[in-house]
Amino acid sequence: MPWLSILMGVSALGALGVAFVKNDKLAKQATLAVSLVVMVLTIVMTVQFSPNGDRFQFAETYDWIPAFGVHYAVAVDGVALVLILLSAILVPIVVLASWHDAEAGKRSVRTYFALLLVLEAMMIGVFAATDVFLFYVFFEAMLIPMYFMIGSYGGAQRSYAAVKFLLYSLFGGLLMLVAVIALYVIAGKGTFLFPELIGAITDPTTQKWLFLGFFIAFAIKAPLWPFHTWLPDAAAQAPAGAAVLLVGVLDKVGTYGMLRFCLELFPEASKWATPVVIALAVIGIVYGAIVAIGQTDIKRLIAYTSISHFGFIAMGVFAMTQNGAAGSALYMVNHGFATGALFLIAGFLIYRRGSAFISDYGGVQKVAPILAGTFLVAGLSGLSLPGLSPFVSEFMVLLGTYEVYAVPAIIGATGVVLAAIYILWMYQRTMNGPTAESVQGMADLNIRERWVVGPLVALIIVLGFFPKPLLDVINPSVKETIHNVSVTAPASAVAKEGQ
């Protein structure tokens, strides 16, 4: 069963059908139906995945451009699988949450929802690609639907935010394209297939140059400090649903690429760059948290928290330990659910009040207790409260990093303290205190909005107490990755991994 092609095909064909639907309501319903079908198929595929089987499963390989060794090659290991599952779960939630996004700007409703399905196909493709050139194609192609979603359906500064997002991403993509072509030429394998390129580049200097081409592109996409400046603008101006997919899924391509391509294709260069990357990650953790504290815009605050969280993920990847890498992969999923919930509830809040400024709120919990309660759960997951899903992954990252780099881990742990400040202070200013006149009579979450938030809150709680199913899928793939780089990883990391 060509599962991955089916998933991409259903999304792409669904987008084509939605684009030609004349009735807006029917376009929304069709988009929701297609996204639910993709989610169900992804769950079925996930159940059939064998954690103890071959590393790459559901593989499909077909010649695409034979003269240059380019293939349509897709498959998943445990890390790619859970990220595709994250995408498939978030898309129908975003569709349901975005029911009125396009209408608010009097723009084409069917185009907005068609773009959502196109983006879903691209997200599945980028995580499934096992041909490096095909990965690059998806890496760049998924910018197009997101650019139009921000630029056509976003806030007052949408054009500026969309262009900035595109320029940053294209700059990183061009660097990566040069590195991809150089990898093909220097490796001399006559193919772009990822498994065949592992270990193909042995010269340390060559590895370093190629590593930089890939890493900078991934650091911009992640975004890792100091390549982060496009994210707050893009996330603040994007519609809430688009912001969820931007921060919850698209940005994960950066950290996924670091784990998959940087470490395995360029292990010696990864070791060489580790001190700098760890330092950037720690700076990002602290910087993102401190700047978040000073934000007056709810969506920009959430965006800066994500910069801090991506610092944790990058730190875990380059710790090159089993706990660190597995924690990072799990963090990618947990962050998607937690930050997705925060953005969506913030979007509901802004839709009601018409303002994203924190100062325009106060005492919301007295008039909309369900909205306030779900916002609290999502916020507490953002500060990694024990019992909620991000805590497990953040703890694993810090533990895995501490095994080999104790000082950065200790400094990074201050991000947990700072997170409590920016989350609780935001909640106190918006939900507690006297009820502001501007929110008097604010409606609580309706049935549709409860169906949007409910599954995310449930996943945050369930995975907080029982992350084992995801870790069982992730761990074998991470072990294989650490094994492939262990010959050049720090000695202490190799020893820990061997234990």
Side-chain angles (χ1 to χ4, degrees):
M1 180 72 73
W3 284 108
L4 297 167
S5 293
I6 289 173
L7 294 177
M8 287 184 278
V10 170
S11 295
L13 291 175
L16 186 63
V18 168
F20 288 98
V21 171
K22 299 299 182 184
N23 183 281
D24 289 346
K25 184 177 180 181
L26 182 59
K28 298 175 187 178
Q29 293 171 339
T31 304
L32 181 60
V34 171
S35 63
L36 287 172
V37 169
V38 172
M39 183 182 73
V40 171
L41 291 174
T42 304
I43 293 172
V44 174
M45 179 184 73
T46 302
V47 171
Q48 296 187 17
F49 183 84
S50 174
N52 297 317
D54 295 336
R55 178 183 179 184
F56 291 103
Q57 300 178 34
F58 313 122
E60 306 170 51
T61 304
Y62 308 99
D63 286 337
W64 181 17
I65 311 176
F68 296 100
V70 180
H71 299 78
Y72 171 80
V74 292
V76 291
D77 64 356
V79 177
L81 180 65
V82 296
L83 291 173
I84 291 174
L85 183 62
L86 167 69
S87 306
I89 291 173
L90 283 180
V91 170
I93 290 174
V94 165
V95 170
L96 200 57
S98 303
W99 217 246
H100 301 299
D101 281 355
E103 294 174 350
K106 300 188 181 340
R107 302 178 187 90
S108 173
V109 172
R110 64 179 184 271
T111 300
Y112 180 83
F113 287 96
L115 288 171
L116 277 174
L117 290 178
V118 171
L119 184 60
E120 180 174 39
M122 297 296 104
M123 292 188 301
I124 294 171
V126 77
F127 292 124
T130 53
D131 181 287
V132 179
F133 188 83
L134 180 66
F135 172 84
Y136 169 77
V137 171
F138 282 121
F139 183 86
E140 292 289 77
M142 67 182 181
L143 303 178
I144 300 172
M146 182 56 67
Y147 169 79
F148 285 109
M149 289 171 72
I150 298 172
S152 298
Y153 300 91
Q157 301 296 319
R158 58 184 178 272
S159 296
Y160 168 78
V163 170
K164 188 174 182 180
F165 159 73
L166 187 65
L167 290 178
Y168 269 72
S169 300
L170 285 178
F171 173 74
L174 288 174
L175 288 178
M176 183 178 170
L177 177 61
V178 172
V180 167
I181 295 172
L183 173 64
Y184 171 81
V185 173
I186 297 171
K189 298 283 187 177
T191 182
F192 285 94
L193 290 173
F194 169 72
E196 297 186 26
L197 292 174
I198 295 176
I201 305 296
T202 56
D203 178 64
T205 302
T206 303
Q207 274 201 27
K208 291 174 184 178
W209 284 109
L210 296 180
F211 169 89
L212 287 174
F214 278 82
F215 175 78
I216 293 174
F218 294 144
I220 292 172
K221 179 72 71 179
L224 184 67
W225 185 92
F227 307 98
H228 67 283
T229 57
W230 63 268
L231 179 63
D233 294 313
Q237 295 302 317
V244 170
L245 296 180
L246 174 65
V247 181
V249 182
L250 265 67
D251 289 355
K252 302 305 188 323
V253 176
T255 47
Y256 168 79
M258 294 177 190
L259 181 62
R260 167 60 50 80
F261 296 102
C262 288
L263 262 60
E264 296 199 65
L265 294 179
F266 319 113
E268 190 72 46
S270 296
K271 174 187 174 182
W272 163 76
T274 289
V276 174
V277 178
I278 293 288
L280 294 179
V282 171
I283 293 171
I285 292 170
V286 178
Y287 167 85
I290 291 175
V291 176
I293 294 172
Q295 293 304 302
T296 58
D297 181 294
I298 297 175
K299 291 172 73 175
R300 289 183 70 88
L301 188 152
I302 299 172
Y304 275 107
T305 70
S306 294
I307 293 170
S308 181
H309 294 152
F310 278 112
F312 281 108
I313 297 173
M315 185 168 68
V317 169
F318 278 86
M320 297 185 194
T321 62
Q322 175 67 29
N323 279 328
S328 291
L330 183 63
Y331 210 151
M332 295 183 213
V333 179
N334 290 335
H335 177 267
F337 291 137
T339 303
L342 268 175
F343 266 118
L344 290 176
I345 299 169
F348 295 151
L349 194 64
I350 294 167
Y351 181 78
R352 285 161 166 75
R353 173 63 181 82
S355 172
F357 289 105
I358 296 173
S359 59
D360 288 336
Y361 296 88
V364 173
Q365 68 176 3
K366 296 177 183 177
V367 295
I370 298 176
L371 188 155
T374 53
F375 196 48
L376 178 62
V377 174
L380 292 176
S381 69
L383 63 83
S384 299
L385 183 76
L388 301 177
S389 57
F391 169 77
V392 180
S393 41
E394 196 165 292
F395 179 80
M396 290 179 66
V397 165
L398 290 172
L399 178 62
T401 305
Y402 186 81
E403 293 173 1
V404 287
Y405 304 108
V407 174
I410 293 171
I411 298 173
T414 60
V416 180
V417 179
L418 294 172
I421 297 174
Y422 60 68
I423 290 294
L424 296 178
W425 194 27
M426 175 181 66
Y427 185 84
Q428 187 272 331
R429 287 181 288 170
T430 55
M431 302 295 163
N432 292 340
T435 303
E437 184 177 347
S438 58
V439 302
Q440 290 284 357
M442 178 181 285
D444 209 344
L445 295 183
N446 58 36
I447 297 299
R448 174 181 62 85
E449 292 166 338
R450 294 180 193 184
W451 274 105
V452 169
V453 177
L456 292 176
V457 171
L459 285 167
I460 290 169
I461 295 172
V462 171
L463 293 176
F465 285 96
F466 191 55
K468 187 175 183 297
L470 288 182
L471 286 173
D472 286 345
V473 173
I474 290 170
N475 275 324
S477 300
V478 168
K479 285 181 180 179
E480 182 71 18
T481 299
I482 298 300
H483 172 75
N484 287 339
V485 301
S486 61
V487 65
T488 55
S492 53
V494 176
K496 291 291 183 182
E497 193 277 328
Q499 293 174 5

